[in-house]
Coordinates of all heavy atoms in Angstrom, one line a residue:
M1 N 110.5 145.9 123.1 CA 109.2 146.1 123.6 C 108.5 147.1 122.8 O 109.0 148.2 122.5 CB 109.3 146.6 125.1 CG 107.9 146.4 125.8 SD 108.0 147.1 127.5 CE 109.3 146.2 128.2
S2 N 107.3 146.8 122.3 CA 106.6 147.8 121.4 C 105.5 148.5 122.2 O 104.7 147.8 122.9 CB 106.1 147.1 120.2 OG 105.0 146.4 120.5
Q3 N 105.4 149.7 122.0 CA 104.4 150.5 122.7 C 103.5 151.1 121.7 O 103.8 151.7 120.7 CB 105.1 151.7 123.4 CG 104.4 152.0 124.7 CD 105.2 153.1 125.5 OE1 106.3 153.4 125.2 NE2 104.5 153.8 126.4
E4 N 102.2 150.8 121.9 CA 101.2 151.2 120.9 C 100.6 152.6 121.4 O 99.7 152.6 122.2 CB 100.1 150.2 120.8 CG 100.4 149.0 120.1 CD 100.7 149.2 118.6 OE1 99.9 150.0 117.9 OE2 101.8 148.7 118.1
S5 N 101.2 153.6 120.9 CA 100.6 155.0 121.2 C 100.0 155.5 119.9 O 100.7 155.5 118.9 CB 101.7 155.9 121.7 OG 102.8 155.9 120.8
P6 N 98.8 156.0 120.0 CA 98.2 156.5 118.8 C 98.7 157.9 118.3 O 98.0 158.9 118.4 CB 96.7 156.6 119.2 CG 96.8 156.8 120.7 CD 98.0 156.1 121.2
K7 N 100.0 157.9 118.0 CA 100.5 159.2 117.6 C 100.2 159.4 116.1 O 100.1 158.5 115.3 CB 102.0 159.2 117.8 CG 102.7 158.0 117.0 CD 104.2 158.1 117.2 CE 104.9 156.9 116.5 NZ 106.2 156.5 117.0
P8 N 100.0 160.7 115.7 CA 99.7 160.9 114.3 C 100.9 160.6 113.4 O 102.0 160.8 113.8 CB 99.5 162.5 114.3 CG 100.2 163.0 115.5 CD 100.1 161.9 116.5
I9 N 100.5 160.0 112.3 CA 101.6 159.6 111.4 C 102.2 160.8 110.7 O 101.5 161.8 110.5 CB 101.1 158.6 110.3 CG1 99.8 159.1 109.7 CG2 101.0 157.2 110.8 CD1 99.4 158.4 108.4
K10 N 103.5 160.7 110.5 CA 104.2 161.8 109.8 C 105.0 161.2 108.6 O 106.0 160.6 108.8 CB 105.2 162.5 110.7 CG 104.6 163.8 111.3 CD 105.7 164.9 111.2 CE 105.1 166.3 111.4 NZ 104.4 166.8 110.3
I11 N 104.5 161.4 107.4 CA 105.1 160.8 106.3 C 106.1 161.8 105.7 O 105.8 163.0 105.4 CB 104.1 160.5 105.2 CG1 103.1 159.4 105.7 CG2 104.8 160.0 103.9 CD1 101.9 159.2 104.9
A12 N 107.4 161.4 105.6 CA 108.4 162.3 105.2 C 108.9 161.8 103.8 O 109.4 162.7 103.0 CB 109.6 162.3 106.1
K13 N 108.7 160.6 103.4 CA 109.2 160.1 102.2 C 108.3 159.0 101.6 O 107.8 158.1 102.3 CB 110.6 159.5 102.4 CG 111.4 159.2 101.2 CD 112.8 158.9 101.5 CE 113.5 158.0 100.5 NZ 114.4 157.0 101.1
I14 N 108.0 159.1 100.3 CA 107.2 158.2 99.6 C 108.0 157.5 98.5 O 108.7 158.2 97.7 CB 106.0 158.8 98.9 CG1 105.2 159.7 99.9 CG2 105.1 157.8 98.2 CD1 104.1 160.6 99.3
V15 N 108.0 156.2 98.5 CA 108.8 155.5 97.5 C 107.9 154.5 96.8 O 107.2 153.7 97.4 CB 110.0 154.7 98.2 CG1 110.7 153.9 97.1 CG2 110.9 155.6 98.9
V16 N 107.9 154.6 95.4 CA 107.2 153.6 94.7 C 108.2 152.7 94.0 O 109.1 153.1 93.4 CB 106.3 154.3 93.5 CG1 105.6 153.2 92.7 CG2 105.3 155.3 94.1
D17 N 108.0 151.4 94.2 CA 108.9 150.4 93.6 C 108.4 150.1 92.2 O 107.4 149.4 92.0 CB 108.9 149.1 94.5 CG 109.8 148.1 93.9 OD1 110.3 148.2 92.8 OD2 109.9 147.0 94.5
P18 N 109.1 150.6 91.2 CA 108.6 150.4 89.8 C 108.6 148.9 89.4 O 107.9 148.5 88.5 CB 109.6 151.2 89.0 CG 110.8 151.3 89.8 CD 110.4 151.3 91.3
D19 N 109.5 148.1 90.0 CA 109.5 146.7 89.7 C 108.2 146.0 90.2 O 107.7 145.0 89.6 CB 110.7 146.0 90.3 CG 112.0 146.6 89.6 OD1 111.9 146.9 88.4 OD2 113.0 146.6 90.3
A20 N 107.7 146.5 91.3 CA 106.5 145.9 91.9 C 105.2 146.4 91.3 O 104.2 145.7 91.2 CB 106.5 146.1 93.4
C21 N 105.2 147.7 90.9 CA 104.0 148.4 90.4 C 103.5 147.7 89.2 O 104.3 147.4 88.3 CB 104.3 149.9 90.2 SG 102.9 150.7 89.4
I22 N 102.2 147.4 89.2 CA 101.6 146.8 88.0 C 100.6 147.7 87.3 O 99.8 147.3 86.5 CB 100.9 145.5 88.4 CG1 99.8 145.7 89.5 CG2 101.9 144.4 88.8 CD1 98.9 144.6 89.7
G23 N 100.7 149.0 87.7 CA 99.8 150.0 87.1 C 98.3 149.8 87.4 O 97.5 150.3 86.7
A24 N 98.1 149.3 88.6 CA 96.7 149.1 89.0 C 96.0 150.4 89.2 O 94.7 150.5 89.0 CB 96.7 148.2 90.3
A25 N 96.7 151.4 89.7 CA 96.3 152.8 89.8 C 95.3 153.2 90.9 O 94.9 154.4 90.8 CB 95.8 153.3 88.4
P26 N 94.9 152.4 91.8 CA 94.1 153.0 92.9 C 94.8 154.1 93.7 O 94.2 155.0 94.2 CB 93.7 151.8 93.8 CG 94.7 150.7 93.4 CD 95.0 150.9 92.0
C27 N 96.1 154.0 93.7 CA 96.9 155.1 94.3 C 96.6 156.4 93.7 O 96.4 157.4 94.3 CB 98.4 154.8 94.4 SG 99.1 154.7 92.7
V28 N 96.5 156.4 92.3 CA 96.2 157.6 91.6 C 94.8 158.1 91.9 O 94.5 159.3 92.0 CB 96.4 157.4 90.0 CG1 96.1 158.6 89.3 CG2 97.8 156.9 89.8
T29 N 93.9 157.1 92.0 CA 92.5 157.4 92.3 C 92.3 158.1 93.7 O 91.6 159.1 93.8 CB 91.6 156.2 92.2 OG1 91.8 155.5 90.9 CG2 90.1 156.5 92.4
V30 N 93.0 157.5 94.6 CA 92.9 158.0 96.0 C 93.6 159.3 96.2 O 93.1 160.3 96.8 CB 93.5 157.0 97.0 CG1 93.5 157.5 98.4 CG2 92.7 155.7 97.0
A31 N 94.8 159.5 95.6 CA 95.6 160.7 95.8 C 96.2 161.1 94.4 O 97.4 161.0 94.2 CB 96.7 160.5 96.8
P32 N 95.4 161.6 93.5 CA 95.8 162.0 92.2 C 96.9 163.1 92.2 O 97.7 163.2 91.3 CB 94.6 162.4 91.5 CG 93.6 162.8 92.5 CD 93.9 161.9 93.7
G33 N 96.9 164.0 93.2 CA 97.9 165.0 93.2 C 99.3 164.5 93.6 O 100.3 165.1 93.4
V34 N 99.2 163.3 94.3 CA 100.5 162.8 94.7 C 101.1 161.7 93.8 O 102.3 161.8 93.4 CB 100.3 162.1 96.1 CG1 101.6 161.5 96.6 CG2 99.8 163.1 97.1
F35 N 100.2 160.9 93.3 CA 100.6 159.8 92.4 C 100.1 160.0 91.0 O 98.9 160.4 90.8 CB 100.2 158.4 92.9 CG 100.7 158.1 94.3 CD1 99.9 158.3 95.4 CD2 102.0 157.6 94.5 CE1 100.4 158.0 96.7 CE2 102.5 157.3 95.7 CZ 101.6 157.5 96.8
Q36 N 100.8 159.7 90.0 CA 100.4 159.7 88.6 C 101.0 158.5 87.9 O 102.1 158.0 88.4 CB 100.8 161.0 87.9 CG 99.9 162.2 88.2 CD 98.4 162.0 87.8 OE1 98.1 161.5 86.7 NE2 97.5 162.3 88.7
L37 N 100.4 158.0 86.9 CA 101.0 156.9 86.1 C 101.8 157.5 85.0 O 101.5 158.4 84.3 CB 99.9 156.0 85.5 CG 99.2 155.0 86.3 CD1 98.3 154.1 85.4 CD2 100.2 154.1 87.1
G38 N 103.0 156.9 84.8 CA 103.9 157.4 83.8 C 103.6 156.7 82.5 O 102.7 155.8 82.4
D39 N 104.3 157.0 81.4 CA 104.1 156.4 80.1 C 104.4 154.9 80.2 O 103.8 154.1 79.4 CB 105.1 157.0 79.1 CG 104.7 158.4 78.8 OD1 103.6 158.8 79.1 OD2 105.6 159.2 78.3
D40 N 105.2 154.4 81.1 CA 105.5 153.0 81.3 C 104.4 152.3 82.1 O 104.6 151.2 82.5 CB 106.9 152.9 81.9 CG 107.0 153.6 83.2 OD1 106.1 154.3 83.6 OD2 108.1 153.5 83.8
N41 N 103.4 153.0 82.5 CA 102.3 152.5 83.3 C 102.8 152.1 84.7 O 102.2 151.2 85.3 CB 101.7 151.2 82.6 CG 100.2 151.1 82.9 OD1 99.5 152.1 83.0 ND2 99.7 149.9 83.0
K42 N 103.7 152.8 85.2 CA 104.2 152.7 86.5 C 103.9 154.0 87.3 O 104.0 155.1 86.7 CB 105.7 152.5 86.6 CG 106.2 151.3 85.7 CD 106.0 150.0 86.4 CE 106.6 148.9 85.6 NZ 106.3 147.5 86.1
A43 N 103.5 153.9 88.5 CA 103.2 155.1 89.3 C 104.5 155.8 89.7 O 105.5 155.1 89.9 CB 102.4 154.7 90.5
Y44 N 104.4 157.1 89.8 CA 105.5 157.9 90.3 C 104.9 159.0 91.1 O 103.7 159.3 91.1 CB 106.4 158.4 89.2 CG 105.7 159.4 88.3 CD1 105.9 160.8 88.5 CD2 104.9 159.0 87.2 CE1 105.3 161.7 87.7 CE2 104.3 159.9 86.4 CZ 104.5 161.3 86.6 OH 103.9 162.2 85.8
V45 N 105.8 159.5 92.0 CA 105.3 160.6 92.9 C 105.4 161.9 92.2 O 106.6 162.3 91.8 CB 106.2 160.5 94.2 CG1 105.7 161.7 95.1 CG2 106.0 159.2 94.9
V46 N 104.3 162.6 92.1 CA 104.3 164.0 91.5 C 104.7 165.0 92.6 O 105.5 165.8 92.4 CB 103.0 164.3 90.9 CG1 103.0 165.6 90.1 CG2 102.4 163.2 90.2
D47 N 103.9 165.0 93.6 CA 104.1 165.9 94.7 C 103.7 165.3 96.0 O 102.5 165.0 96.3 CB 103.2 167.1 94.4 CG 103.3 168.2 95.5 OD1 104.1 168.0 96.5 OD2 102.7 169.3 95.4
A48 N 104.7 165.0 96.8 CA 104.5 164.3 98.1 C 103.7 165.1 99.1 O 103.2 164.6 100.1 CB 105.9 163.9 98.7
H49 N 103.5 166.4 98.8 CA 102.8 167.3 99.7 C 101.4 167.7 99.2 O 100.8 168.5 99.8 CB 103.6 168.5 100.0 CG 105.0 168.2 100.5 ND1 105.3 167.7 101.7 CD2 106.2 168.3 99.8 CE1 106.6 167.5 101.8 NE2 107.2 167.8 100.7
A50 N 100.9 167.0 98.2 CA 99.6 167.4 97.6 C 98.5 166.8 98.3 O 97.3 167.1 98.0 CB 99.6 166.9 96.1
A51 N 98.7 165.9 99.3 CA 97.6 165.3 100.1 C 98.1 165.2 101.5 O 99.3 165.2 101.8 CB 97.2 164.0 99.5
D52 N 97.1 165.0 102.5 CA 97.5 164.9 103.8 C 98.0 163.4 104.1 O 97.8 162.6 103.2 CB 96.4 165.3 104.8 CG 95.1 164.5 104.6 OD1 95.2 163.3 104.2 OD2 94.0 165.0 104.9
D53 N 98.6 163.2 105.2 CA 99.2 161.9 105.5 C 98.2 160.8 105.5 O 98.5 159.7 105.0 CB 99.9 162.0 106.8 CG 101.3 162.7 106.7 OD1 101.6 163.2 105.6 OD2 101.9 162.9 107.8
D54 N 97.0 161.0 106.0 CA 96.0 160.0 106.0 C 95.6 159.5 104.6 O 95.5 158.4 104.3 CB 94.7 160.5 106.7 CG 94.9 160.6 108.2 OD1 95.9 159.9 108.7 OD2 94.1 161.3 108.9
T55 N 95.5 160.5 103.7 CA 95.2 160.2 102.3 C 96.3 159.4 101.6 O 96.1 158.5 100.9 CB 94.9 161.5 101.5 OG1 93.9 162.2 102.2 CG2 94.4 161.2 100.1
I56 N 97.6 159.8 101.9 CA 98.7 159.1 101.3 C 98.8 157.7 101.9 O 99.0 156.7 101.1 CB 100.0 159.9 101.6 CG1 100.0 161.2 100.9 CG2 101.2 159.1 101.2 CD1 101.1 162.2 101.3
L57 N 98.5 157.5 103.2 CA 98.5 156.2 103.8 C 97.4 155.3 103.1 O 97.6 154.2 102.8 CB 98.3 156.3 105.3 CG 98.3 154.9 106.0 CD1 99.6 154.2 105.8 CD2 97.9 155.1 107.5
L58 N 96.3 155.9 102.9 CA 95.2 155.2 102.3 C 95.5 154.8 100.8 O 95.2 153.7 100.4 CB 94.0 156.2 102.2 CG 92.6 155.5 102.2 CD1 92.3 154.8 103.5 CD2 91.5 156.6 102.0
A59 N 96.2 155.7 100.1 CA 96.7 155.4 98.8 C 97.6 154.2 98.8 O 97.5 153.3 98.0 CB 97.3 156.6 98.2
A60 N 98.6 154.2 99.7 CA 99.5 153.2 99.8 C 98.8 151.8 100.2 O 99.2 150.8 99.6 CB 100.6 153.5 100.9
Q61 N 97.9 151.9 101.0 CA 97.1 150.7 101.4 C 96.3 150.2 100.3 O 95.9 149.0 100.3 CB 96.2 151.0 102.7 CG 97.1 151.2 103.9 CD 96.2 151.7 105.1 OE1 95.2 152.4 104.9 NE2 96.7 151.5 106.3
S62 N 95.9 151.1 99.4 CA 95.0 150.7 98.3 C 95.8 149.9 97.2 O 95.2 149.3 96.4 CB 94.4 151.9 97.6 OG 95.3 152.6 96.9
C63 N 97.1 149.9 97.3 CA 97.9 149.3 96.2 C 97.8 147.7 96.4 O 98.2 147.3 97.5 CB 99.4 149.7 96.3 SG 100.4 148.9 95.1
P64 N 97.4 147.0 95.4 CA 97.2 145.6 95.5 C 98.6 144.8 95.7 O 98.6 143.7 96.1 CB 96.5 145.2 94.3 CG 96.9 146.2 93.3 CD 97.0 147.5 94.1
V65 N 99.7 145.4 95.3 CA 100.9 144.7 95.4 C 101.9 145.4 96.3 O 103.1 145.1 96.4 CB 101.6 144.6 94.0 CG1 100.8 143.7 93.1 CG2 101.8 146.0 93.3
Q66 N 101.4 146.3 97.1 CA 102.2 147.0 98.1 C 103.5 147.6 97.5 O 104.6 147.4 98.1 CB 102.5 146.1 99.3 CG 101.3 145.6 100.0 CD 101.5 145.1 101.4 OE1 102.6 144.5 101.7 NE2 100.6 145.2 102.3
A67 N 103.4 148.2 96.4 CA 104.5 148.8 95.7 C 104.9 150.2 96.4 O 106.0 150.7 96.1 CB 104.2 149.0 94.2
I68 N 104.0 150.7 97.2 CA 104.3 152.0 97.8 C 104.8 151.9 99.2 O 104.1 151.2 100.1 CB 103.0 152.9 97.8 CG1 102.5 153.0 96.3 CG2 103.3 154.2 98.4 CD1 101.1 153.6 96.3
S69 N 105.9 152.4 99.5 CA 106.5 152.4 100.9 C 106.5 153.8 101.4 O 106.8 154.8 100.7 CB 107.9 151.8 100.9 OG 107.9 150.5 100.4
L70 N 106.2 154.0 102.7 CA 106.2 155.3 103.3 C 107.2 155.3 104.5 O 107.2 154.3 105.2 CB 104.8 155.5 103.9 CG 103.6 155.4 102.9 CD1 102.3 155.6 103.6 CD2 103.8 156.4 101.7
Y71 N 107.9 156.4 104.6 CA 108.9 156.5 105.7 C 108.6 157.8 106.5 O 108.2 158.8 105.9 CB 110.3 156.6 105.1 CG 110.7 155.3 104.3 CD1 110.3 155.2 103.0 CD2 111.4 154.3 104.9 CE1 110.6 154.0 102.3 CE2 111.7 153.1 104.2 CZ 111.3 153.0 102.9 OH 111.6 151.8 102.2
D72 N 109.0 157.7 107.7 CA 108.9 159.0 108.5 C 110.1 159.8 108.5 O 111.1 159.4 107.7 CB 108.5 158.6 110.0 CG 109.5 157.9 110.8 OD1 110.7 157.9 110.3 OD2 109.2 157.4 111.8
E73 N 110.2 160.8 109.2 CA 111.4 161.7 109.1 C 112.7 161.1 109.6 O 113.8 161.5 109.2 CB 111.1 163.0 110.0 CG 110.0 163.9 109.4 CD 109.4 164.8 110.4 OE1 109.2 164.3 111.6 OE2 109.1 165.9 110.1
E74 N 112.6 160.1 110.4 CA 113.8 159.4 110.9 C 114.2 158.2 110.0 O 115.1 157.5 110.3 CB 113.6 158.9 112.3 CG 113.6 160.1 113.3 CD 112.7 159.8 114.5 OE1 112.4 158.7 114.7 OE2 112.4 160.8 115.1
G75 N 113.4 158.1 108.9 CA 113.7 157.0 107.9 C 113.1 155.7 108.3 O 113.5 154.6 107.7
N76 N 112.3 155.7 109.3 CA 111.6 154.4 109.7 C 110.4 154.2 108.7 O 109.7 155.1 108.3 CB 111.0 154.5 111.1 CG 112.1 154.8 112.1 OD1 113.1 154.1 112.2 ND2 111.9 155.8 113.0
K77 N 110.3 152.9 108.4 CA 109.2 152.5 107.5 C 107.9 152.6 108.2 O 107.7 151.9 109.3 CB 109.5 151.1 106.9 CG 108.6 150.8 105.7 CD 108.8 149.4 105.2 CE 109.7 149.5 104.0 NZ 109.8 148.1 103.4
I78 N 106.9 153.3 107.7 CA 105.6 153.4 108.3 C 104.7 152.4 107.6 O 103.9 151.8 108.3 CB 105.0 154.8 108.0 CG1 105.9 155.9 108.6 CG2 103.6 154.9 108.5 CD1 105.5 157.3 108.2
Y79 N 104.9 152.2 106.3 CA 104.0 151.3 105.6 C 104.8 150.7 104.4 O 105.6 151.5 103.8 CB 102.7 151.9 105.1 CG 101.8 151.0 104.4 CD1 100.9 150.3 105.2 CD2 101.9 150.8 103.0 CE1 100.1 149.3 104.5 CE2 101.1 149.9 102.4 CZ 100.1 149.2 103.2 OH 99.3 148.3 102.5
P80 N 104.7 149.4 104.0 CA 103.9 148.4 104.7 C 104.6 148.0 106.0 O 105.9 148.0 106.1 CB 103.8 147.3 103.7 CG 104.9 147.5 102.8 CD 105.2 149.0 102.8
E81 N 103.9 147.5 107.0 CA 104.5 147.1 108.2 C 105.1 145.7 108.0 O 104.6 144.9 107.2 CB 103.5 147.0 109.3 CG 103.1 148.4 109.8 CD 101.9 148.4 110.8 OE1 101.8 147.4 111.5 OE2 101.2 149.3 110.8
E82 N 106.2 145.5 108.6 CA 106.9 144.2 108.3 C 106.8 143.3 109.5 O 106.5 143.7 110.6 CB 108.4 144.5 108.0 CG 108.5 145.0 106.6 CD 109.9 145.7 106.4 OE1 110.6 145.9 107.4 OE2 110.3 145.9 105.3
Ligands
F3S101 FE1 101.2 150.8 91.0 FE2 100.1 150.2 93.2 FE3 99.7 152.5 92.3 S1 100.3 148.9 91.4 S2 99.7 152.2 90.1 S3 101.7 151.7 92.9 S4 98.3 151.3 93.4

């Protein structure tokens, strides 16, 4: 049974899948302190604490190939929803 309670999100872990990332870079545009493009044109996490959770979620949602996964403190996947 799922309960929809509007609890604030708590992002504990950000994972970029380099195989999925196509270097589209909106994640960098939305949260440049958190995501940067490497020499291989793949995004990587610079500083997971450089933006608030809403901004990080927005950045993950902005990825056209959903290469960014977010997890909470208990290791539950916050985004993308499955
Ligand atoms: Fe890559 Fe997605 Fe960012 S394709 S560059 S992780 S928005």
Side-chain angles (χ1 to χ4, degrees):
M1 199 187 299
S2 76
Q3 212 177 343
E4 286 296 312
S5 53
K7 58 180 177 199
I9 46 168
K10 260 228 167 280
I11 297 168
K13 193 170 153 214
I14 306 170
V15 177
V16 180
D17 179 355
D19 294 329
C21 175
I22 54 169
C27 62
V28 180
T29 306
V30 174
V34 178
F35 301 99
Q36 283 296 316
L37 279 188
D39 292 339
D40 55 358
N41 215 33
K42 307 279 186 189
Y44 65 96
V45 177
V46 191
D47 181 358
H49 306 289
D52 60 31
D53 285 357
D54 286 342
T55 305
I56 294 171
L57 179 62
L58 210 65
Q61 288 170 336
S62 75
C63 178
V65 293
Q66 299 198 328
I68 302 170
S69 299
L70 307 175
Y71 298 85
D72 69 13
E73 287 157 325
E74 285 147 20
N76 301 310
K77 193 183 259 186
I78 301 170
Y79 184 87
E81 286 171 32
E82 286 164 343

